[in-house]
Amino acid sequence: MKKIFSILIILSFMLLYGGCQNNSKEKNNPPSNSTDQSVIEQPAKTDTKSLIVYFSWSGNTKNLAQTIQSQTNADIFEIEAVVPYGDDYDTVVDLAQEEQRADARPAITNQIENINEYDVIYVGYPNWWGDMPMILYTFFDNYDLSNKTIAPFCTSGGSGLSNTVNEIKNLEPNAAVTNGLHIGSSSVNNSDNTIRQWLQEINLGS
């Protein structure tokens, strides 16, 4: 009887000790919540939308803008003056200089209704007297391009970009202005490779 009684006591003690161990494990290692609905969201993918805005008198900047469009699939908008500049070269040259001296703002006949939809704005112009035509200043006055990328491009007989890129930075201080592209008037029709290289350099190429 004593042996049986001793065995029963030992078994009871083992059962009691084992139960304590299980309770301790449950307290130290709480079960995972099987009803947890948390989801890691992936960042949304958005397509960059771009617009080419240009002013052209002789047609060179227009041709360059169309070539850029063919490589970017951007929308395109031509700045048109309310009072046309005329066809005579000497007259236009003199008028452009007068407008610069007067810090004029020639009126634009058309408008961009959805400018806020675009992330990248390509801005094209001829170089007149070492600067953008003053009608470009009208454009920058009319539209706030903050938080957009502006990619300037320019045509001229040999004046290059002059200080126009820095001027655009001053006019649109809250935009990201890329390095500009200059194409000589005689090279506009053979500018595909130069444009492609420029787009890659400014991280807008395909």
Side-chain angles (χ1 to χ4, degrees):
M1 285 295 292
K2 287 183 180 181
K3 285 185 179 180
I4 294 173
F5 183 75
S6 298
I7 292 171
L8 290 173
I9 291 175
I10 292 170
L11 289 173
S12 298
F13 179 80
M14 290 176 64
L15 289 172
L16 180 63
Y17 180 78
C20 291
Q21 287 288 89
N22 288 337
N23 288 338
S24 176
K25 289 179 180 179
E26 287 177 2
K27 288 180 182 178
N28 292 332
N29 300 289
S32 61
N33 184 1
S34 59
T35 60
D36 186 5
Q37 300 295 321
S38 60
V39 176
I40 299 174
E41 295 184 0
Q42 298 296 329
K45 294 182 179 178
T46 57
D47 293 328
T48 298
K49 191 171 183 180
S50 39
L51 172 69
I52 299 167
V53 177
Y54 73 93
F55 170 76
S56 183
W57 175 75
S58 68
N60 285 328
T61 307
K62 180 176 183 177
N63 290 340
L64 185 57
Q66 291 174 338
T67 305
I68 293 172
Q69 184 188 35
S70 70
Q71 295 193 26
T72 61
N73 294 319
D75 294 336
I76 196 163
F77 175 86
E78 181 177 7
I79 295 173
E80 298 175 0
V82 170
V83 180
Y85 282 90
D87 298 326
D88 182 68
Y89 175 80
D90 291 332
T91 301
V92 171
V93 167
D94 291 341
L95 178 57
Q97 191 171 45
E98 288 176 13
E99 288 181 345
Q100 281 189 10
R101 289 171 178 167
D103 196 25
R105 294 294 187 272
I108 296 174
T109 187
N110 45 354
Q111 298 181 53
I112 304 170
E113 301 292 345
N114 57 341
I115 192 77
N116 291 331
E117 295 180 6
Y118 296 98
D119 308 293
V120 177
I121 312 290
Y122 298 90
V123 179
Y125 47 88
N127 185 329
W128 284 357
W129 294 102
D131 201 351
M132 297 179 290
M134 298 310 293
I135 199 167
L136 266 295
Y137 286 82
T138 306
F139 166 75
F140 285 114
D141 284 352
N142 289 348
Y143 299 98
D144 180 8
L145 304 184
S146 296
N147 303 316
K148 299 184 185 298
T149 297
I150 302 174
F153 62 95
C154 167
T155 60
S156 74
S159 303
L161 287 157
S162 298
N163 196 47
T164 57
V165 175
N166 286 331
E167 189 61 31
I168 292 172
K169 290 178 180 179
N170 291 332
L171 294 169
E172 296 289 345
N174 297 316
V177 182
T178 72
N179 292 334
L181 170 69
H182 170 260
I183 299 289
S185 300
S186 60
S187 303
V188 168
N189 293 328
N190 300 299
S191 57
D192 285 32
N193 289 335
T194 304
I195 291 170
R196 189 172 294 107
Q197 291 173 2
W198 173 62
L199 292 173
Q200 292 174 350
E201 286 171 3
I202 63 176
N203 296 320
L204 293 177
S206 56

PDB file of all heavy atoms in Angstrom, residues 77-97:
ATOM      1  N   PHE A  77       1.611  71.870 -78.139  1.00  0.00           N
ATOM      2  CA  PHE A  77       0.862  73.130 -78.113  1.00  0.00           C
ATOM      3  C   PHE A  77       1.733  74.224 -78.694  1.00  0.00           C
ATOM      4  O   PHE A  77       2.868  74.426 -78.258  1.00  0.00           O
ATOM      5  CB  PHE A  77       0.484  73.474 -76.667  1.00  0.00           C
ATOM      6  CG  PHE A  77      -0.189  74.812 -76.501  1.00  0.00           C
ATOM      7  CD1 PHE A  77      -1.555  74.942 -76.648  1.00  0.00           C
ATOM      8  CD2 PHE A  77       0.558  75.932 -76.181  1.00  0.00           C
ATOM      9  CE1 PHE A  77      -2.180  76.174 -76.492  1.00  0.00           C
ATOM     10  CE2 PHE A  77      -0.050  77.175 -76.012  1.00  0.00           C
ATOM     11  CZ  PHE A  77      -1.420  77.291 -76.169  1.00  0.00           C
ATOM     12  N   GLU A  78       1.208  74.931 -79.698  1.00  0.00           N
ATOM     13  CA  GLU A  78       1.952  76.028 -80.309  1.00  0.00           C
ATOM     14  C   GLU A  78       1.485  77.360 -79.739  1.00  0.00           C
ATOM     15  O   GLU A  78       0.289  77.665 -79.725  1.00  0.00           O
ATOM     16  CB  GLU A  78       1.770  76.026 -81.824  1.00  0.00           C
ATOM     17  CG  GLU A  78       2.549  77.158 -82.502  1.00  0.00           C
ATOM     18  CD  GLU A  78       2.441  77.129 -84.015  1.00  0.00           C
ATOM     19  OE1 GLU A  78       1.649  76.315 -84.547  1.00  0.00           O
ATOM     20  OE2 GLU A  78       3.161  77.908 -84.663  1.00  0.00           O
ATOM     21  N   ILE A  79       2.426  78.150 -79.251  1.00  0.00           N
ATOM     22  CA  ILE A  79       2.128  79.505 -78.786  1.00  0.00           C
ATOM     23  C   ILE A  79       1.933  80.394 -80.005  1.00  0.00           C
ATOM     24  O   ILE A  79       2.816  80.477 -80.872  1.00  0.00           O
ATOM     25  CB  ILE A  79       3.280  80.045 -77.906  1.00  0.00           C
ATOM     26  CG1 ILE A  79       3.411  79.218 -76.626  1.00  0.00           C
ATOM     27  CG2 ILE A  79       3.067  81.517 -77.584  1.00  0.00           C
ATOM     28  CD1 ILE A  79       4.629  79.580 -75.789  1.00  0.00           C
ATOM     29  N   GLU A  80       0.801  81.065 -80.075  1.00  0.00           N
ATOM     30  CA  GLU A  80       0.504  81.936 -81.203  1.00  0.00           C
ATOM     31  C   GLU A  80       0.227  83.349 -80.691  1.00  0.00           C
ATOM     32  O   GLU A  80      -0.525  83.544 -79.730  1.00  0.00           O
ATOM     33  CB  GLU A  80      -0.702  81.411 -81.979  1.00  0.00           C
ATOM     34  CG  GLU A  80      -0.472  80.022 -82.583  1.00  0.00           C
ATOM     35  CD  GLU A  80      -1.718  79.463 -83.256  1.00  0.00           C
ATOM     36  OE1 GLU A  80      -2.759  80.156 -83.254  1.00  0.00           O
ATOM     37  OE2 GLU A  80      -1.652  78.335 -83.759  1.00  0.00           O
ATOM     38  N   ALA A  81       0.828  84.325 -81.328  1.00  0.00           N
ATOM     39  CA  ALA A  81       0.669  85.713 -80.899  1.00  0.00           C
ATOM     40  C   ALA A  81      -0.642  86.299 -81.413  1.00  0.00           C
ATOM     41  O   ALA A  81      -1.064  86.023 -82.545  1.00  0.00           O
ATOM     42  CB  ALA A  81       1.835  86.543 -81.413  1.00  0.00           C
ATOM     43  N   VAL A  82      -1.282  87.097 -80.571  1.00  0.00           N
ATOM     44  CA  VAL A  82      -2.499  87.800 -80.998  1.00  0.00           C
ATOM     45  C   VAL A  82      -2.175  88.707 -82.176  1.00  0.00           C
ATOM     46  O   VAL A  82      -2.914  88.768 -83.164  1.00  0.00           O
ATOM     47  CB  VAL A  82      -3.089  88.597 -79.818  1.00  0.00           C
ATOM     48  CG1 VAL A  82      -4.199  89.525 -80.309  1.00  0.00           C
ATOM     49  CG2 VAL A  82      -3.616  87.664 -78.739  1.00  0.00           C
ATOM     50  N   VAL A  83      -1.059  89.412 -82.093  1.00  0.00           N
ATOM     51  CA  VAL A  83      -0.582  90.248 -83.203  1.00  0.00           C
ATOM     52  C   VAL A  83       0.586  89.513 -83.863  1.00  0.00           C
ATOM     53  O   VAL A  83       1.680  89.442 -83.287  1.00  0.00           O
ATOM     54  CB  VAL A  83      -0.126  91.636 -82.712  1.00  0.00           C
ATOM     55  CG1 VAL A  83       0.363  92.472 -83.897  1.00  0.00           C
ATOM     56  CG2 VAL A  83      -1.264  92.345 -81.978  1.00  0.00           C
ATOM     57  N   PRO A  84       0.382  88.931 -85.034  1.00  0.00           N
ATOM     58  CA  PRO A  84       1.450  88.155 -85.690  1.00  0.00           C
ATOM     59  C   PRO A  84       2.688  89.014 -85.952  1.00  0.00           C
ATOM     60  O   PRO A  84       2.604  90.226 -86.137  1.00  0.00           O
ATOM     61  CB  PRO A  84       0.798  87.707 -87.004  1.00  0.00           C
ATOM     62  CG  PRO A  84      -0.672  87.763 -86.743  1.00  0.00           C
ATOM     63  CD  PRO A  84      -0.876  88.907 -85.804  1.00  0.00           C
ATOM     64  N   TYR A  85       3.838  88.350 -85.977  1.00  0.00           N
ATOM     65  CA  TYR A  85       5.096  89.061 -86.160  1.00  0.00           C
ATOM     66  C   TYR A  85       5.376  89.421 -87.618  1.00  0.00           C
ATOM     67  O   TYR A  85       6.278  90.200 -87.904  1.00  0.00           O
ATOM     68  CB  TYR A  85       6.256  88.219 -85.606  1.00  0.00           C
ATOM     69  CG  TYR A  85       6.345  88.278 -84.098  1.00  0.00           C
ATOM     70  CD1 TYR A  85       5.662  87.374 -83.311  1.00  0.00           C
ATOM     71  CD2 TYR A  85       7.109  89.255 -83.476  1.00  0.00           C
ATOM     72  CE1 TYR A  85       5.733  87.438 -81.928  1.00  0.00           C
ATOM     73  CE2 TYR A  85       7.189  89.332 -82.091  1.00  0.00           C
ATOM     74  CZ  TYR A  85       6.497  88.416 -81.321  1.00  0.00           C
ATOM     75  OH  TYR A  85       6.561  88.499 -79.960  1.00  0.00           O
ATOM     76  N   GLY A  86       4.655  88.855 -88.540  1.00  0.00           N
ATOM     77  CA  GLY A  86       4.883  89.170 -89.951  1.00  0.00           C
ATOM     78  C   GLY A  86       5.924  88.261 -90.569  1.00  0.00           C
ATOM     79  O   GLY A  86       6.534  87.416 -89.903  1.00  0.00           O
ATOM     80  N   ASP A  87       6.139  88.445 -91.866  1.00  0.00           N
ATOM     81  CA  ASP A  87       7.008  87.540 -92.612  1.00  0.00           C
ATOM     82  C   ASP A  87       8.380  88.113 -92.926  1.00  0.00           C
ATOM     83  O   ASP A  87       9.271  87.381 -93.347  1.00  0.00           O
ATOM     84  CB  ASP A  87       6.337  87.149 -93.940  1.00  0.00           C
ATOM     85  CG  ASP A  87       5.029  86.405 -93.721  1.00  0.00           C
ATOM     86  OD1 ASP A  87       4.943  85.649 -92.728  1.00  0.00           O
ATOM     87  OD2 ASP A  87       4.095  86.588 -94.533  1.00  0.00           O
ATOM     88  N   ASP A  88       8.556  89.409 -92.758  1.00  0.00           N
ATOM     89  CA  ASP A  88       9.825  90.028 -93.118  1.00  0.00           C
ATOM     90  C   ASP A  88      10.841  89.871 -91.991  1.00  0.00           C
ATOM     91  O   ASP A  88      10.598  90.293 -90.845  1.00  0.00           O
ATOM     92  CB  ASP A  88       9.605  91.516 -93.425  1.00  0.00           C
ATOM     93  CG  ASP A  88      10.888  92.198 -93.858  1.00  0.00           C
ATOM     94  OD1 ASP A  88      11.386  91.885 -94.965  1.00  0.00           O
ATOM     95  OD2 ASP A  88      11.423  93.013 -93.073  1.00  0.00           O
ATOM     96  N   TYR A  89      11.978  89.275 -92.319  1.00  0.00           N
ATOM     97  CA  TYR A  89      12.992  88.962 -91.301  1.00  0.00           C
ATOM     98  C   TYR A  89      13.500  90.214 -90.593  1.00  0.00           C
ATOM     99  O   TYR A  89      13.555  90.262 -89.360  1.00  0.00           O
ATOM    100  CB  TYR A  89      14.163  88.217 -91.954  1.00  0.00           C
ATOM    101  CG  TYR A  89      15.315  87.948 -91.009  1.00  0.00           C
ATOM    102  CD1 TYR A  89      15.263  86.882 -90.111  1.00  0.00           C
ATOM    103  CD2 TYR A  89      16.453  88.766 -91.016  1.00  0.00           C
ATOM    104  CE1 TYR A  89      16.303  86.629 -89.236  1.00  0.00           C
ATOM    105  CE2 TYR A  89      17.499  88.524 -90.148  1.00  0.00           C
ATOM    106  CZ  TYR A  89      17.422  87.463 -89.255  1.00  0.00           C
ATOM    107  OH  TYR A  89      18.461  87.227 -88.387  1.00  0.00           O
ATOM    108  N   ASP A  90      13.859  91.229 -91.337  1.00  0.00           N
ATOM    109  CA  ASP A  90      14.418  92.434 -90.727  1.00  0.00           C
ATOM    110  C   ASP A  90      13.411  93.109 -89.798  1.00  0.00           C
ATOM    111  O   ASP A  90      13.773  93.611 -88.730  1.00  0.00           O
ATOM    112  CB  ASP A  90      14.870  93.422 -91.818  1.00  0.00           C
ATOM    113  CG  ASP A  90      16.086  92.903 -92.590  1.00  0.00           C
ATOM    114  OD1 ASP A  90      16.874  92.139 -91.997  1.00  0.00           O
ATOM    115  OD2 ASP A  90      16.235  93.261 -93.775  1.00  0.00           O
ATOM    116  N   THR A  91      12.149  93.110 -90.218  1.00  0.00           N
ATOM    117  CA  THR A  91      11.108  93.714 -89.390  1.00  0.00           C
ATOM    118  C   THR A  91      10.958  92.962 -88.076  1.00  0.00           C
ATOM    119  O   THR A  91      10.833  93.571 -87.001  1.00  0.00           O
ATOM    120  CB  THR A  91       9.761  93.716 -90.144  1.00  0.00           C
ATOM    121  OG1 THR A  91       9.903  94.454 -91.361  1.00  0.00           O
ATOM    122  CG2 THR A  91       8.663  94.329 -89.293  1.00  0.00           C
ATOM    123  N   VAL A  92      10.985  91.636 -88.164  1.00  0.00           N
ATOM    124  CA  VAL A  92      10.848  90.816 -86.953  1.00  0.00           C
ATOM    125  C   VAL A  92      12.040  91.008 -86.026  1.00  0.00           C
ATOM    126  O   VAL A  92      11.883  91.113 -84.802  1.00  0.00           O
ATOM    127  CB  VAL A  92      10.682  89.321 -87.334  1.00  0.00           C
ATOM    128  CG1 VAL A  92      10.753  88.436 -86.094  1.00  0.00           C
ATOM    129  CG2 VAL A  92       9.364  89.111 -88.049  1.00  0.00           C
ATOM    130  N   VAL A  93      13.229  91.084 -86.599  1.00  0.00           N
ATOM    131  CA  VAL A  93      14.434  91.288 -85.790  1.00  0.00           C
ATOM    132  C   VAL A  93      14.355  92.606 -85.022  1.00  0.00           C
ATOM    133  O   VAL A  93      14.638  92.675 -83.824  1.00  0.00           O
ATOM    134  CB  VAL A  93      15.698  91.252 -86.690  1.00  0.00           C
ATOM    135  CG1 VAL A  93      16.906  91.773 -85.928  1.00  0.00           C
ATOM    136  CG2 VAL A  93      15.958  89.830 -87.166  1.00  0.00           C
ATOM    137  N   ASP A  94      13.927  93.657 -85.710  1.00  0.00           N
ATOM    138  CA  ASP A  94      13.808  94.965 -85.061  1.00  0.00           C
ATOM    139  C   ASP A  94      12.719  94.946 -83.986  1.00  0.00           C
ATOM    140  O   ASP A  94      12.897  95.502 -82.889  1.00  0.00           O
ATOM    141  CB  ASP A  94      13.501  96.047 -86.100  1.00  0.00           C
ATOM    142  CG  ASP A  94      14.676  96.307 -87.037  1.00  0.00           C
ATOM    143  OD1 ASP A  94      15.818  95.933 -86.665  1.00  0.00           O
ATOM    144  OD2 ASP A  94      14.456  96.862 -88.128  1.00  0.00           O
ATOM    145  N   LEU A  95      11.596  94.315 -84.289  1.00  0.00           N
ATOM    146  CA  LEU A  95      10.496  94.249 -83.330  1.00  0.00           C
ATOM    147  C   LEU A  95      10.892  93.458 -82.088  1.00  0.00           C
ATOM    148  O   LEU A  95      10.563  93.841 -80.963  1.00  0.00           O
ATOM    149  CB  LEU A  95       9.268  93.612 -83.992  1.00  0.00           C
ATOM    150  CG  LEU A  95       8.035  93.428 -83.108  1.00  0.00           C
ATOM    151  CD1 LEU A  95       7.577  94.766 -82.520  1.00  0.00           C
ATOM    152  CD2 LEU A  95       6.908  92.759 -83.887  1.00  0.00           C
ATOM    153  N   ALA A  96      11.629  92.357 -82.302  1.00  0.00           N
ATOM    154  CA  ALA A  96      12.076  91.542 -81.166  1.00  0.00           C
ATOM    155  C   ALA A  96      12.970  92.348 -80.241  1.00  0.00           C
ATOM    156  O   ALA A  96      12.875  92.242 -79.005  1.00  0.00           O
ATOM    157  CB  ALA A  96      12.820  90.311 -81.676  1.00  0.00           C
ATOM    158  N   GLN A  97      13.834  93.184 -80.812  1.00  0.00           N
ATOM    159  CA  GLN A  97      14.711  94.006 -79.990  1.00  0.00           C
ATOM    160  C   GLN A  97      13.920  95.084 -79.234  1.00  0.00           C
ATOM    161  O   GLN A  97      14.182  95.361 -78.057  1.00  0.00           O
ATOM    162  CB  GLN A  97      15.784  94.660 -80.859  1.00  0.00           C
ATOM    163  CG  GLN A  97      16.898  95.308 -80.048  1.00  0.00           C
ATOM    164  CD  GLN A  97      18.052  95.751 -80.932  1.00  0.00           C
ATOM    165  OE1 GLN A  97      17.840  96.352 -81.986  1.00  0.00           O
ATOM    166  NE2 GLN A  97      19.278  95.451 -80.506  1.00  0.00           N
TER     167      GLN A  97
END
